[in-house]
Amino acid sequence: MVDLFEDLDPPQRLLMGPGPINAHPRVLAAMAKPLLGQFDPKFREYMQQTAALYRGVFQTQNRWTLLVDGTARSAIEAALVSLIEPGDRVLVPVFGRFGHLKVEIARRCGAEVRVIEVEWGKVFTDEHLKKEISSFKPKLVAVSHGDTSTTMAQPLAALGKACREHDALLYVDATATLGGMDLQSDAWHLDVVSAGLQKCLGGPPGSAPLTLNDRAEKRIARRRHVEEGLQDDRYKAGEGPIIRSNYFDLAMIMDYWSDKALNHHTEATTMLYAARECARVVLQEGLPAVFERHVRASRMLTDGLKAMGLELFGDQAHKMPNVTGVHIPKGVDGEAVRRRLLLEHNIEIGTSFGPLHGKIWRIGTMGINANEKPVREALSALGKVLARRAPG
Ligand SMILES: Cc1ncc(COP(=O)(O)O)c(C=O)c1O
C-alpha cells in the first residue's frame, strides 16, 4: 500500500547525468528563506540584484536581463514566440535534440523554418552557417550553444557578426553551457540568450535566466500590448502583431521587471532566491575559475573512462566540458548498468535520445559536481558495475 502521508525523505543521490545535478547547498538554503510579496520593496530590490548578477553571468551590459518562470524551455519559448512574427524566416541549425525543439517551437509560432543538420556528434563550420544565412536571409537564427543530447558545443564567436551583416537576430539557447563554459553575449553579438538553473549554474530546475539587447528589444517593443484590465488612458498598443502567448510575452515580462512593475505573473519568489544565489556562487568563484574547474573535471572523467577501456562519443574538439558521451560497450545492457549505479551506488548517469538511444551514456560534470570527489566516485562505481558483469 502506498503511504500518502510518509515524510518526504528522498535518497541522497549523486546526480552525474546531463542535468538536473545536485544543487549547491547555498542555493537550497536560499530557497528556505521567508517569502515576500511581489511588490515588497525588498523583493523588488532582489529582482534588480538578480538582473545585475545575471548581467555578470551572461557577460553583458543588457538592461533587459531577467528570469522567465519555468524550466529552460520556458525561456526558449518566450524568446521565440516574442521574436517570431507569423511568416518570418527562421534558420535553425540542428546538431542534436534541442535543435529540433527550436524547430518545433518556431513552427508553432508560424515561422517559415529552414532546418540544416549535421550528424549527431559534430558541429557546424562557420562557413556553412554563413552560407545558409546569406542564401536564406532569415529574420532570426535560433541555435543551441551546447546540446546536451550530443555533448557538443557549437562555436558562436563568428555567428553573431554574420547575423548582423544580414540583419538577422541571433537567439542562443545556453541552457547547457551558462556558468560552465565561456559565453560572451555582448562580445559575440548574441541578441537573446537564455538558460536554466539545473546544469552548470547548480540550481534546481524551474527558473530560466534570459538576456536581450536593444536590437531584440526593438523587435519586441513593436508588439507590446497591455492586458485590458491593466491599461490606463495613455495606453497605445504597439503597431506589430500581438505576441501569441500571454505567459511567455516578453514585452509583458519586461514591463513587470521594469520600474513600472506592471503586473503580469506572480514572480516565483523561491525560484528567484535560488537563481540569485546560483549567480552569486558562480560570480564569487569567478567565471574564469569556474570554466577552468569544469575543464579539469571533464579531463579527469574522460581520462578515467579511457583508462577503463571505454570509447568517448563525438568530435572531442567540440565536446562541452560539462557533459561527456561514452559508448556503451558491446554486449552491455546500458539501462541495467544505469539502474545498478542508481540503486546500488546512489549515482545517476544519463541515458540518451533519438539516434543515440541505447548507444551512449552521458555523464555530467556540472556545477558542484565538476569536482574531483564526485568524478572519482562516479568512475569507481561505474568500474565496479562493469567489472561485475565481465565474464569469468
Ligand atoms: C540545450 C538544452 N536546451 C533546453 C533544454 C530543456 O530544458 P528544460 O528541461 O529545463 O526545459 C535542455 C535540457 O536538457 C538543454 O540541454
Side-chain angles (χ1 to χ4, degrees), residues 18-19 70-74 76 97-98 101-102 144-149 173-176 196-199 205-206 353 362:
T71 64
R73 177 184 298 243
S74 70
I76 302 174
R97 181 206 158 174
F98 292 102
L101 172 65
K102 284 174 268 294
S144 306
H145 184 207
D147 198 310
T148 37
S149 68
D173 170 7
T175 305
L197 298 190
Q198 76 271 22
K199 299 187 192 280
F353 306 117
R362 292 174 305 148

Side-chain angles (χ1 to χ4, degrees), residues 22 34 83 125 127 148-149 248 316 321 328 343 350 355 389:
N22 301 91
L83 292 170
T125 61
E127 290 64 38
T148 37
S149 68
F248 293 131
Q316 293 304 296
I328 300 169
L343 300 180
R389 62 151 299 279

Side-chain angles (χ1 to χ4, degrees), residues 260-337:
K260 286 191 273 244
L262 197 58
N263 189 222
H264 177 246
H265 60 292
T266 306
E267 184 55 23
T269 325
T270 302
M271 287 312 301
L272 181 126
Y273 294 167
R276 178 179 175 279
E277 199 61 23
C278 288
R280 274 174 20 107
V281 168
V282 165
L283 294 178
Q284 280 168 346
E285 183 177 351
L287 291 178
V290 169
F291 301 152
E292 181 49 36
R293 182 165 52 73
H294 280 82
V295 169
R296 272 200 313 276
S298 172
R299 199 172 304 130
M300 186 177 167
L301 177 68
T302 53
D303 285 351
L305 293 170
K306 285 191 280 187
M308 283 156 70
L310 297 172
E311 188 196 340
L312 305 180
F313 168 76
D315 168 9
Q316 293 304 296
H318 292 105
K319 187 188 90 65
M320 286 189 277
N322 43 49
V323 56
T324 296
V326 53
H327 287 275
I328 300 169
K330 265 204 172 52
V332 170
D333 178 345
E335 284 309 293
V337 168

Side-chain angles (χ1 to χ4, degrees), residues 105-297:
I105 297 175
R107 287 199 174 126
R108 283 175 190 256
C109 297
E112 182 194 333
V113 183
R114 179 183 282 187
V115 184
I116 53 172
E117 293 188 55
V118 286
E119 189 189 325
W120 288 27
K122 297 199 164 124
V123 295
F124 293 88
T125 61
D126 288 342
E127 290 64 38
H128 187 170
L129 295 176
K130 280 185 198 163
K131 208 168 113 240
E132 292 292 340
I133 294 168
S134 83
S135 77
F136 186 53
K137 304 199 175 7
K139 278 215 161 155
L140 178 77
V141 177
V143 69
S144 306
H145 184 207
D147 198 310
T148 37
S149 68
T150 68
T151 78
M152 295 296 114
Q154 174 64 46
L156 294 178
L159 182 58
K161 203 156 154 273
C163 286
R164 287 210 181 171
E165 278 161 15
H166 292 89
D167 203 23
L169 285 179
L170 174 57
Y171 162 73
V172 172
D173 170 7
T175 305
T177 51
L178 192 72
M181 216 184 142
D182 195 21
L183 175 93
Q184 301 180 26
S185 302
D186 287 358
W188 296 352
H189 307 299
L190 315 180
D191 297 303
V192 184
V193 189
S194 71
L197 298 190
Q198 76 271 22
K199 299 187 192 280
C200 303
L201 290 169
S207 177
L210 177 145
T211 190
L212 62 94
N213 66 11
D214 295 350
R215 298 174 84 225
E217 180 187 2
K218 216 161 121 208
R219 192 158 309 169
I220 293 167
R222 65 185 290 278
R223 307 176 74 185
R224 178 174 174 266
H225 287 72
V226 170
E227 277 172 27
E228 195 139 329
L230 298 175
Q231 294 168 7
D232 63 20
D233 303 343
R234 286 161 303 159
Y235 169 66
K236 204 168 152 293
E239 75 279 12
I242 193 163
I243 292 167
R244 289 183 172 192
S245 164
N246 173 294
Y247 192 73
F248 293 131
D249 182 324
L250 278 180
M252 288 184 178
I253 297 174
M254 286 151 73
D255 276 344
Y256 180 62
W257 276 75
S258 77
D259 294 341
K260 286 191 273 244
L262 197 58
N263 189 222
H264 177 246
H265 60 292
T266 306
E267 184 55 23
T269 325
T270 302
M271 287 312 301
L272 181 126
Y273 294 167
R276 178 179 175 279
E277 199 61 23
C278 288
R280 274 174 20 107
V281 168
V282 165
L283 294 178
Q284 280 168 346
E285 183 177 351
L287 291 178
V290 169
F291 301 152
E292 181 49 36
R293 182 165 52 73
H294 280 82
V295 169
R296 272 200 313 276

